[in-house]
């Protein structure tokens, strides 16, 4: 589609009136600011109540200086935009955050996929544009928020609140403190099946592992590393497993380390509790390089 736009634009270049730029606005803007600042610094006779741009009257017109003042007043509102877009571009990270959540709407009997909200963002933009023009903006005018800059400021504040909620949600997803208590090890078990699994262990305090969920448990091993027996019983909703079949296996708990296991199928007939890597790394790389 973009290629088609370029072809159409290029094909019509001969019917357009080409005018050479005269007094380019960008250069005039920078020049006005530079001249005003320089005159302000080297001149001691300018009144204190004068705006520093008024010192550029010798080289620039009143209209240019007035527009420059307006521009500087407006640009202060947009100083926070780089930070906003830096956060907004983390939408892919929010999609990963959504994969760690349930997404189940029981009253609709429907599960929202992690990437579906991002997919319909454009549709939401059109719908909200209509709703805001006919509902929200008239209401804000009654509350005293009438100017476009006021709307931008209010929306920026709401965006910040949204980012705060996303951060709080991530803290809730992370759960317990990542710092492992002394002389203990941490075990994470991820359920890759869309059904519940009952866990039994003579030493670990484990019970139920929900569908597509995870549990983590701290345990004090009797040695540097201890192999612990664990038994898994599958819910009746696990139709791929014969009835009353249990999986007897072992997991490793290491002192001061975090180890993760993933319950999945290695093939159509074999179910395994697979260890993920050697140890989980709880320390962020200072150079920002990925661990995997």
């Amino acid at each position: 589609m973009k290629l088609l736009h370029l072809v159409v634009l290029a094909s019509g270049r001969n019917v357009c009136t080409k005018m050479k730029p005269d007094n380019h606005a960008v250069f005039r803007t920078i020049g006005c600011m530079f001249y005003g600042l320089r005159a302000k610094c080297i001149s001691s006779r300018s009144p204190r109540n004068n705006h520093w741009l008024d010192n550029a009257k010798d080289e620039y017109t009143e209209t240019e200086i007035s527009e420059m003042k307006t521009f500087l007043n407006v640009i202060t509102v947009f100083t926070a935009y780089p930070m906003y877009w830096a956060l907004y571009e983390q939408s892919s990270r929010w999609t990963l955050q959504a994969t760690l959540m349930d997404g189940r709407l029981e009253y609709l009997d429907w599960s929202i996929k992690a990437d579906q909200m991002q997919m319909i963002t454009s549709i939401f933009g059109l719908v909200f544009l209509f709703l805001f023009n006919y509902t929200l903006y008239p209401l804000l005018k009654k509350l005293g928020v009438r100017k476009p800059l006021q709307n931008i400021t209010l929306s920026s504040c709401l965006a910040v609140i949204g980012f705060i909620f996303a951060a709080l949600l991530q803290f809730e997803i992370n759960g317990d403190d990542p710092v492992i208590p002394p002389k203990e090890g941490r075990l994470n078990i991820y359920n890759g099946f869309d059904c519940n699994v009952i866990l039994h262990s003579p030493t670990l305090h484990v019970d139920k592992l929900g569908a597509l969920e995870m549990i983590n448990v701290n345990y004090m091993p009797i040695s540097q590393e201890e192999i612990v027996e664990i038994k898994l019983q599958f819910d009746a909703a696990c139709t791929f497993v014969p009835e009353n079949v249990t999986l007897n296996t072992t997991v490793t708990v290491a002192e001061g380390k975090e180890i993760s296991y993933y319950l999945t199928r290695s093939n159509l007939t074999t179910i395994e509790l697979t260890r993920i890597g050697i140890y989980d790394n709880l320390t962020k790389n200072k150079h920002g390089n990925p661990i995997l």
Side-chain angles (χ1 to χ4, degrees):
M1 183 60 70
K2 291 184 178 180
L3 181 60
L4 179 61
H5 291 169
L6 291 175
V7 172
V8 173
L9 183 63
S11 62
R13 68 182 185 277
N14 294 327
V15 297
C16 297
T17 302
K18 301 177 182 179
M19 301 179 62
K20 294 183 178 181
D22 183 23
N23 294 330
H24 198 282
V26 174
F27 297 126
R28 295 288 294 179
T29 299
I30 297 175
C32 182
M33 294 176 60
F34 176 76
Y35 192 90
L37 285 173
R38 187 184 65 174
K40 179 68 174 179
C41 294
I42 65 177
S43 177
S44 59
R45 295 178 298 176
S46 58
R48 292 185 178 180
N49 58 350
N50 271 11
H51 195 281
W52 58 273
L53 282 172
D54 292 332
N55 297 302
K57 290 181 179 180
D58 296 339
E59 293 289 335
Y60 297 89
T61 64
E62 290 285 349
T63 302
E64 289 176 324
I65 294 175
S66 176
E67 291 177 350
M68 192 63 200
K69 291 179 181 179
T70 304
F71 168 75
L72 292 178
N73 290 333
V74 173
I75 200 65
T76 54
V77 180
F78 295 94
T79 52
Y81 264 41
M83 181 63 69
Y84 169 80
W85 285 109
L87 293 171
Y88 181 81
E89 290 300 326
Q90 298 183 29
S91 56
S92 59
R93 181 64 186 88
W94 293 354
T95 303
L96 294 176
Q97 183 186 67
T99 60
L100 303 175
M101 302 169 64
D102 187 2
R104 182 69 180 172
L105 300 177
E106 296 294 344
Y107 58 92
L108 294 178
D109 193 23
W110 178 52
S111 295
I112 302 177
K113 300 298 188 295
D115 56 349
Q116 286 180 341
M117 294 300 295
Q118 187 174 358
M119 179 185 66
I120 60 177
T121 299
S122 301
I123 299 176
F124 278 168
L126 295 175
V127 173
F128 288 155
L129 179 63
F130 174 80
L131 292 177
F132 286 2
N133 285 333
Y134 290 96
T135 57
L136 181 61
Y137 292 152
L139 178 61
L140 291 177
K141 287 181 179 180
K142 294 181 180 180
L143 298 176
V145 182
R146 297 181 176 86
K147 298 180 180 179
L149 291 181
Q150 292 176 326
N151 292 333
I152 293 176
T153 303
L154 178 61
S155 61
S156 299
C157 294
L158 294 177
V160 170
I161 294 175
F163 294 135
I164 293 175
F165 278 130
L168 294 176
L169 179 60
Q170 188 62 45
F171 281 121
E172 185 67 22
I173 292 174
N174 291 340
D176 297 335
D177 190 345
V179 178
I180 301 175
K183 297 184 179 181
E184 291 187 3
R186 179 169 296 163
L187 176 68
N188 300 320
I189 301 178
Y190 298 85
N191 183 8
F193 299 126
D194 193 15
C195 58
N196 299 328
V197 179
I198 307 299
L199 306 177
H200 300 280
S201 175
T203 53
L204 298 176
H205 297 288
V206 293
D207 184 14
K208 179 181 177 181
L209 180 57
L212 301 175
E213 293 183 357
M214 67 158 290
I215 60 171
N216 58 68
V217 57
N218 290 348
Y219 176 71
M220 185 179 295
I222 58 178
S223 59
Q224 195 69 24
E225 284 194 357
E226 180 181 349
I227 298 177
V228 180
E229 295 181 355
I230 189 171
K231 182 171 68 173
L232 295 85
Q233 289 183 322
F234 297 89
D235 190 83
C238 302
T239 55
F240 53 88
V241 179
E243 189 175 356
N244 298 325
V245 170
T246 60
L247 175 63
N248 295 298
T249 184
T250 59
V251 294
T252 301
V253 182
E255 181 179 338
K257 302 291 184 180
E258 184 166 358
I259 302 176
S260 295
Y261 285 84
Y262 185 64
L263 181 62
T264 184
R265 281 191 292 188
S266 58
N267 52 56
L268 294 178
T269 58
T270 305
I271 298 175
E272 293 182 349
L273 189 61
T274 306
R275 182 169 175 172
I276 305 174
I278 302 177
Y279 300 115
D280 292 355
N281 191 346
L282 303 180
T283 304
K284 181 180 179 180
N285 191 309
K286 66 178 182 179
H287 300 294
N289 297 322
I291 298 175
L292 298 179

